């Protein structure tokens, strides 16, 4: 069985994408975050998602690590909206989440209430997506 970690986020972080028949019954269905729309099956690459076979250069992970510094957070008085974060597409973006986590992110898709792309984790880029309501603030470089 092949497991691809292009995954969509769930409550615990990244999940492998498996066919529904490969998922345990208790896990299929309720773990996706509200408002996040997983990549479409069958035609990869639609709506800004990289295809399951690898991805185009523009929609793929960056070929270099993010900057080595951590930018200073500027508090946001408003909720993060798709129009604001869309300006950070394909740019190194530092994200602060409501739960206190922060990390470098490289967004490749912005939906109505979600964002997806690549998160810098343990010296490599990992495909990641989250609901915009979970983002406290962000800053593009």
């Amino acid at each position: 069985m092949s497991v691809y970690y292009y995954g969509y986020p769930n409550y615990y972080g990244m999940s492998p994408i498996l066919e529904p028949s490969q998922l345990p019954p208790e896990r299929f269905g309720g773990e996706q975050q509200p408002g996040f729309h997983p990549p479409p099956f069958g035609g990869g690459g639609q709506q800004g998602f990289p295809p399951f076979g690898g991805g185009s250069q523009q929609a793929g992970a960056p070929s270099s690590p993010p900057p080595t510094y951590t930018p200073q957070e500027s508090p946001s008085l408003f909720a993060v909206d798709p129009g604001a974060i869309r300006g950070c597409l394909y740019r190194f973006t530092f994200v602060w989440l409501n739960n206190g986590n922060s990390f470098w992110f490289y967004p490749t898709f912005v939906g109505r209430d979600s964002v997806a792309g690549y998160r810098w984790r343990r010296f490599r880029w990992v495909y990641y997506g989250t609901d915009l309501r979970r983002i406290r603030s962000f800053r593009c470089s």
Side-chain angles (χ1 to χ4, degrees):
M1 167 177 78
S2 296
V3 177
Y4 298 95
Y5 281 89
Y6 263 129
Y8 47 88
N10 61 22
Y11 180 79
Y12 302 104
M14 296 306 297
S15 292
I17 291 183
L18 302 172
E19 293 297 321
S21 63
Q22 296 170 317
L23 293 173
E26 68 276 5
R27 291 192 58 178
F28 183 66
E31 286 190 357
Q32 293 177 17
Q33 295 175 1
F36 184 78
H37 308 289
F41 288 93
Q46 300 169 0
Q47 301 176 351
F49 284 101
F52 291 133
S56 68
Q57 187 68 1
Q58 186 178 22
S63 57
S64 63
T68 55
Y69 66 91
T70 299
Q72 185 174 354
E73 181 179 12
S74 50
S76 174
L77 300 177
F78 305 102
V80 173
D81 69 279
I85 203 162
R86 189 168 285 120
C88 295
L89 279 172
Y90 308 108
R91 295 172 61 188
F92 292 124
T93 304
F94 201 85
V95 173
W96 290 270
L97 298 179
N98 294 328
N99 68 5
N101 290 345
S102 59
F103 51 87
W104 281 105
F105 182 59
Y106 187 82
T108 58
F109 169 82
V110 177
R112 187 172 41 124
D113 44 19
S114 62
V115 61
Y118 295 88
R119 176 179 176 168
W120 185 250
R121 187 173 258 184
R122 295 190 182 126
F123 306 104
R124 65 186 180 108
W125 292 105
V126 177
Y127 196 71
Y128 174 82
T130 191
D131 191 299
L132 291 173
R133 293 175 293 187
R134 294 186 66 218
I135 299 174
R136 182 173 68 212
S137 62
F138 63 92
R139 178 174 282 189
C140 306
S141 63

